[in-house]
């Protein structure tokens, strides 16, 4: 018999267990994996992008956008940095507030494990929960596959989302939510590469590996980040960011010369020079992209643009070319799916949860935290910060 059973020993689960245990509760942490915290281990290229110094409610997507405010206000990036300092873990800022371990992701896992040990947390791992049912009288019974029946006054679902199923990710938290009558915002892959119809993408497949900075927008999202051409479509930080805002059937608009008036630059470059257009574009772009973009285009007079002298090309043609480059509009056929996604968008509908405790309003004693909840952060450490913040709010409320 435990005060709290937490299902899922990832970032949110371990943090919640540590907080609740150190406040005097008898806590058991259950996970079906053989190895602890694989998603933390592989994150950030093995160095764990554990938070972002600029974290705020505006960095998250949700059908209930104000829900995350309370938890984020209660536990911010500075609080997690204080925890790392106490354990003598060093870090560095890589880009736009993104913080990474100097050593490796193992540092964060060791911190969380040590905090759980300080709270006397008990472990059941590997251990799968076959069924969660209300116990006679009060609380819950967890019928497990390897440790019999666990009884707990309260249950916290911290099993995450469906991203990276090869590491054991499942929709278990969503099944439990539905079992107890809670609504679920339809889940889908987020922070994921976008793919295109093979026939339409064929001219660009040969550009696989080419990267450049671009403005990217779709729906309510707009970012200036690097993009990467792949055999099947587009990836890179800019595309991962916009994928969370993109909905099937919507176009994605890319500005491949962001921050530059390309038409004016090309027109000015015409003066007194014998430079070819392809050379002029290659000075601003990766050459492979310049070559592919101009292939099959003519200068309006039947001459190939690729080999035309810049000075011979009409200004009108250059302006039309620049307009296409500044607003390259594509409609993805889909995404690379959960296997390539970093997180899941959607999840347990937050309108059915208490924002201060993460408890289900209709099911006293049942809580949902982390990625399982319909709160999805941008790329860059925001999702880990949501895991810490929602876990601490829940752990204190328990």
């Amino acid at each position: 018999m435990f005060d709290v059973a937490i299902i899922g020993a990832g970032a949110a689960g371990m943090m919640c267990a540590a907080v609740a245990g150190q406040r005097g509760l008898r806590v058991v942490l259950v996970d079906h994996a053989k190895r602890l915290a694989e998603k933390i281990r592989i994150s950030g290229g093995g160095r764990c992008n554990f938070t972002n110094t600029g974290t705020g409610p505006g960095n998250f997507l949700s059908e209930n956008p104000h829900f995350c405010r309370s938890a984020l206000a209660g536990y911010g990036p500075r609080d997690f940095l204080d925890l790392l300092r106490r354990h003598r873990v060093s870090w560095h800022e890589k880009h736009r507030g993104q913080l990474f371990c100097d050593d490796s992701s193992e540092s964060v896992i060791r911190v969380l494990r040590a905090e759980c040990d300080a709270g006397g947390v008990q472990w059941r791992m590997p251990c799968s929960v076959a069924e969660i049912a209300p116990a006679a009288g009060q609380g819950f019974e967890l019928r497990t596959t390897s440790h019999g029946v666990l009884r707990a006054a309260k249950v916290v679902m911290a099993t995450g989302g469906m991203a990276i199923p090869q590491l054991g990710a499942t929709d278990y938290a969503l099944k439990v939510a539905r079992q107890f009558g809670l609504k679920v915002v339809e889940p889908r892959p987020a922070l994921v590469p976008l793919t295109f119809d093979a026939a339409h993408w064929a001219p660009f497949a040969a550009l696989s590996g080419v990267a450049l900075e671009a403005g990217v927008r779709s729906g309510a999202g707009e970012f200036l980040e690097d993009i990467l051409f792949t055999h099947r479509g587009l990836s890179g930080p800019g595309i991962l960011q916009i994928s969370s805002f993109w909905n099937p059937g919507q176009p994605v608009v890319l500005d491949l010369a962001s921050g530059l008036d390309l038409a004016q630059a090309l027109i000015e470059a015409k003066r007194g020079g014998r430079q070819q257009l392809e050379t002029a574009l290659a000075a601003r772009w990766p050459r492979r992209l310049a070559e592919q973009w101009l292939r099959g285009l003519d200068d309006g007079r039947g001459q190939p643009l690729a080999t035309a002298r810049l000075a011979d090309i009409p200004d009108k043609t250059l302006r039309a070319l620049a307009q296409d480059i500044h607003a390259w509009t594509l409609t993805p056929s889909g995404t690379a799916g959960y296997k390539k996604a970093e997180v899941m968008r959607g999840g347990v509908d937050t309108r059915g949860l208490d924002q201060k405790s993460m408890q289900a309003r209709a099911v006293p004693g049942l809580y949902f935290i982390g990625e399982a909840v319909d709160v999805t952060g941008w790329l860059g450490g925001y999702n880990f910060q949501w895991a810490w913040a929602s876990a601490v709010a829940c752990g204190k409320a328990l």
Side-chain angles (χ1 to χ4, degrees):
M1 180 67 191
F2 296 90
D3 296 315
V4 184
I6 299 175
I7 306 177
M14 283 195 285
M15 178 65 93
C16 185
V19 172
Q22 290 180 30
R23 294 168 78 90
L25 298 183
R26 180 173 163 80
V27 180
V28 63
L29 193 49
V30 184
D31 198 290
H32 67 169
K34 292 181 179 179
R35 197 176 184 197
L36 183 64
E38 282 285 15
K39 279 194 177 181
I40 296 178
R41 185 170 285 107
I42 69 167
S43 67
R47 291 184 182 270
C48 188
N49 178 196
F50 54 80
T51 192
N52 193 297
T53 58
T55 301
N59 301 118
F60 296 86
L61 289 80
S62 174
E63 288 197 1
N64 181 16
H66 297 296
F67 178 83
C68 64
R69 289 181 178 274
S70 179
L72 292 173
Y75 193 88
R78 289 184 179 181
D79 297 300
F80 192 74
L81 291 180
D82 287 342
L83 176 62
L84 295 187
R85 287 190 189 97
R86 292 202 302 274
H87 288 266
R88 299 182 180 179
V89 174
S90 58
W91 67 85
H92 61 276
E93 181 177 341
K94 188 174 181 180
H95 180 62
R96 297 181 181 178
Q98 300 172 17
L99 301 188
F100 293 77
C101 296
D102 285 345
D103 184 10
S104 75
S105 303
E106 293 288 348
S107 301
V108 173
I109 298 173
R110 285 194 295 269
V111 167
L112 295 172
R113 184 65 193 256
E115 289 292 309
C116 285
D117 290 345
V121 174
Q122 295 192 37
W123 298 77
R124 299 292 187 273
M125 183 180 176
C127 176
S128 296
V129 178
E131 183 182 3
I132 301 174
Q138 62 179 356
F140 300 86
E141 284 189 353
L142 281 61
R143 300 183 180 112
T144 74
T145 56
S146 55
H147 288 77
V149 176
L150 304 177
R151 294 177 178 84
K154 297 176 181 179
V155 171
V156 179
M157 296 302 303
T159 54
M162 293 185 281
I164 322 182
Q166 56 270 39
L167 294 184
T170 72
D171 63 347
Y172 188 61
L174 308 186
K175 288 180 177 177
V176 171
R178 293 185 178 109
Q179 173 193 337
F180 284 94
L182 304 181
K183 292 183 178 179
V184 171
V185 175
E186 189 64 30
R188 62 181 179 83
L191 300 184
V192 63
L194 297 175
T195 58
F196 298 86
D197 176 77
H200 289 118
W201 190 250
F204 301 100
L207 295 176
S208 181
V210 170
L212 73 159
E213 187 178 71
V216 190
R217 68 180 190 272
S218 185
E222 185 169 0
F223 297 90
L224 177 62
E225 292 269 12
D226 285 352
I227 66 168
L228 173 70
F229 285 80
T230 72
H231 289 295
R232 298 179 59 202
L234 292 168
S235 187
I239 298 301
L240 299 188
Q241 294 279 37
I242 210 64
S243 70
S244 296
F245 293 84
W246 176 77
N247 290 306
Q250 284 185 336
V252 172
V253 182
L254 297 98
D255 183 349
L256 299 179
S258 184
L260 172 70
D261 185 339
L262 183 60
Q264 190 61 33
L266 292 176
I267 290 170
E268 290 177 358
K270 290 174 63 171
R271 297 170 187 160
R274 301 176 60 83
Q275 189 180 42
Q276 291 182 339
L277 174 58
E278 185 178 290
T279 304
L281 273 183
R284 297 166 173 83
W285 271 4
R287 177 167 286 277
R288 285 167 60 194
L289 177 57
E291 292 172 353
Q292 182 59 45
W293 192 273
L294 296 176
R295 189 167 295 167
L297 299 180
D298 63 57
D299 63 358
R301 297 173 297 185
Q303 299 300 314
L305 268 184
T307 56
R309 283 199 322 159
L310 196 56
D312 296 335
I313 302 173
D315 289 358
K316 179 180 178 181
T317 301
L318 292 177
R319 289 193 180 95
L321 174 69
Q323 183 176 353
D324 289 342
I325 290 171
H326 280 303
W328 189 29
T329 302
L330 302 163
T331 300
S333 60
T335 74
Y338 284 117
K339 285 187 177 181
K340 298 294 184 181
E342 295 200 11
V343 295
M344 176 186 78
R345 182 178 170 183
V348 179
D349 193 332
T350 59
R351 287 164 291 202
L353 303 179
D354 179 81
Q355 63 179 352
K356 293 184 178 179
S357 67
M358 312 303 291
Q359 181 174 218
R361 297 182 189 278
V363 190
L366 181 62
Y367 301 73
F368 292 84
I369 60 176
E371 190 184 342
V373 176
D374 176 34
V375 175
T376 305
W378 292 4
L379 182 73
Y382 300 102
N383 286 292
F384 271 124
Q385 187 57 47
W386 170 246
W388 316 137
S390 61
V392 170
C394 180
K396 289 180 176 180
L398 288 167

